Amino acid sequence: MRIRVPSYFKDFTCIASECEDTCCAGWSVVIDEQSYNDYQNVDGEFGQKLRSRIVEEDGDKVFVLNGENCSFLNENKLCEIYNELGEKSLCYTCRQYPRYMEEFFDLREMGISLSCPEAARIILGNDKVTVFELSEDDQLGDMEDSIDENALEDFFLCREIIINMIEMLNISLGIKAAAVLKFVEEIQDKIDFDEMDEVKYVIEKYSDSHFIEELINDLDQYEGNEVIKYHNVCAYFNTYRDLEHINTHDPLGLNKALKIFGEADSKSYINQHKAFNAYYKDNMYKFKNILVYFIFRYFMKCIFDYDMSAKIKIAIISTIMIKELAVVRWIENGQFTE
Ligand code: SF4
């Protein structure tokens, strides 16, 4: 099997007790069947403790929470299962996190999740183009898959074009995102009208650097519609506030953000936004990295539902939201740290 990972993948190591967050808080870790069965055979006092702290929740076996934390997270923020039984005895979720994986026939793609602070530091810290590395692992067999191989190849090419556009230098991220939306709109039309044979012509068109240059120049005229953007962002904040969050403490600070939006009129917010852009100009690549992360991680899921448009829109909206929350944080604190 071939393995594709972003080059920063190998740089990750869990910093355990040094972590300012912890992945064992605020949610119940679901235990896979193999680990659950293994836990039934652990001897001694720890074995008893282990079994006594597993409950059933919505049909899944999960570790009981101690307040907000996993009950095996000790006062030094270290995992007792890891301490007592070693890394191999962690359940699948704990062993993998923050690594994620997606498989397509003979290709496995892996990365690290932005939800882990240490992974986020690594992803955000790369001020170069994101490089993806391909290797072979003969130990791993290919997947049985019912997906269409031709469509898969086309969609991989689409993702490559999109990431190349987002990585273009000296062009604003907004313009690049608009170009990507235009490309995906054309591909989605071909999908929706059952013209999959024509997807390759759109790919060909967008592989031409002169065409991309002209498209970028055309889109440039739309930059600066900030009042519209202000109202849209306000609507996104309201929508996101009403979604289910990992805990009930407004982890994204959306209520605060809406308050700031409510207090500032569009003109003063836009001015503050511009001031943030100037303040943060040397670090703007971090938002580009976030968008590339979302695209690498989620875009190829379109092979399962052929809804490419939704994948790219959620990636762009999520990046916009993170940027806006950064602006809000900066307005509040007068500085913005990672
Ligand atoms: S969030 Fe990341 S760094 Fe922190 S404990 Fe979990 S895996 Fe380790």
Side-chain angles (χ1 to χ4, degrees):
M1 187 175 250
R2 293 173 304 147
I3 316 279
R4 183 184 281 138
V5 295
S7 57
Y8 54 69
F9 183 75
K10 58 185 178 309
D11 299 336
F12 176 77
T13 320
C14 172
I15 53 170
S17 59
E18 302 294 309
C19 181
E20 64 269 61
D21 195 4
T22 167
C23 41
C24 325
W27 60 298
S28 311
V29 175
V30 174
I31 307 162
D32 60 291
E33 206 180 320
Q34 176 67 53
S35 304
Y36 179 76
N37 291 338
D38 292 347
Y39 294 159
Q40 303 313 305
N41 299 319
V42 176
D43 295 329
E45 212 178 305
F46 189 73
Q48 276 176 16
K49 181 176 173 182
L50 186 56
R51 287 182 287 279
S52 72
R53 297 194 186 170
I54 295 174
V55 290
E56 192 148 333
E57 217 176 79
D58 300 329
D60 292 319
K61 304 281 191 305
V62 301
F63 293 121
V64 174
L65 287 181
N66 175 16
E68 292 262 300
N69 293 343
C70 172
S71 51
F72 289 101
L73 190 68
N74 69 19
E75 62 282 7
N76 301 320
K77 289 173 74 185
L78 292 170
C79 171
E80 279 184 58
I81 300 177
Y82 186 105
N83 285 351
E84 293 283 334
L85 307 174
E87 189 179 2
K88 282 202 181 103
S89 294
L90 295 177
C91 67
Y92 182 82
T93 309
C94 296
R95 232 175 18 245
Q96 289 302 309
Y97 186 82
R99 296 165 195 88
Y100 62 84
M101 182 170 81
E102 194 82 66
E103 289 183 340
F104 316 90
F105 292 119
D106 66 338
L107 176 67
R108 174 180 288 182
E109 293 197 330
M110 294 191 291
I112 48 176
S113 298
L114 206 47
S115 55
C116 156
E118 182 61 8
R121 261 188 290 276
I122 293 168
I123 295 166
L124 296 176
N126 173 32
D127 62 356
K128 311 264 173 344
V129 165
T130 308
V131 173
F132 297 94
E133 294 169 351
L134 200 58
S135 60
E136 289 269 352
D137 187 338
D138 297 337
Q139 307 290 315
L140 296 169
D142 298 352
M143 283 266 295
E144 287 285 323
D145 229 322
S146 57
I147 47 185
D148 181 318
E149 276 189 75
N150 292 328
L152 183 68
E153 203 175 309
D154 284 346
F155 290 2
F156 272 129
L157 282 173
C158 289
R159 189 182 65 177
E160 197 179 316
I161 287 174
I162 290 170
I163 292 182
N164 286 344
M165 280 202 247
I166 297 296
E167 290 287 7
M168 284 187 299
L169 299 172
N170 305 322
I171 299 165
S172 84
L173 192 54
I175 296 285
K176 292 189 283 193
V180 163
L181 284 169
K182 181 88 184 63
F183 169 59
V184 170
E185 187 187 22
E186 286 186 40
I187 298 280
Q188 190 68 55
D189 275 353
K190 299 295 175 200
I191 296 171
D192 293 347
F193 288 103
D194 207 10
E195 295 168 345
M196 286 300 290
D197 286 352
E198 293 186 20
V199 164
K200 60 176 175 294
Y201 301 121
V202 183
I203 290 175
E204 228 172 83
K205 185 166 81 173
Y206 280 80
S207 301
D208 176 353
S209 57
H210 295 296
F211 172 79
I212 298 291
E213 214 173 293
E214 277 174 28
L215 176 66
I216 297 286
N217 286 340
D218 283 354
L219 289 169
D220 213 25
Q221 62 180 300
Y222 296 105
E223 198 162 44
N225 273 339
E226 281 128 339
V227 176
I228 297 174
K229 190 176 151 201
Y230 167 84
H231 290 295
N232 284 344
V233 168
C234 220
Y236 302 151
F237 274 137
N238 276 304
T239 304
Y240 270 64
R241 187 185 50 182
D242 297 339
L243 298 177
E244 190 183 338
H245 296 272
I246 196 158
N247 63 45
T248 52
H249 312 314
D250 189 20
L252 298 178
L254 291 168
N255 286 322
K256 247 190 244 168
L258 277 161
K259 193 162 172 276
I260 287 185
F261 261 68
E263 283 164 2
D265 56 25
S266 59
K267 198 165 166 234
S268 72
Y269 184 80
I270 289 162
N271 285 338
Q272 284 177 310
H273 197 119
K274 281 184 185 155
F276 173 82
N277 285 350
Y279 163 82
Y280 210 57
K281 69 175 186 318
D282 294 339
N283 290 295
M284 281 298 177
Y285 64 85
K286 293 180 194 291
F287 298 111
K288 181 270 293 173
N289 290 1
I290 290 172
L291 183 53
V292 170
Y293 163 86
F294 283 135
I295 292 166
F296 178 71
R297 179 162 185 180
Y298 297 112
F299 179 82
M300 284 309 294
K301 289 185 189 294
C302 65
I303 197 61
F304 304 117
D305 63 4
Y306 284 57
D307 193 351
M308 191 181 283
S309 184
K311 307 296 170 289
I312 207 68
K313 283 177 184 168
I314 196 75
I316 292 172
I317 293 279
S318 301
T319 308
I320 290 173
M321 289 296 293
I322 292 171
K323 165 84 186 287
E324 294 304 319
L325 287 167
V327 177
V328 166
R329 199 62 65 89
W330 176 74
I331 291 171
E332 270 181 322
N333 301 333
Q335 58 166 340
F336 183 67
T337 67
E338 277 183 12

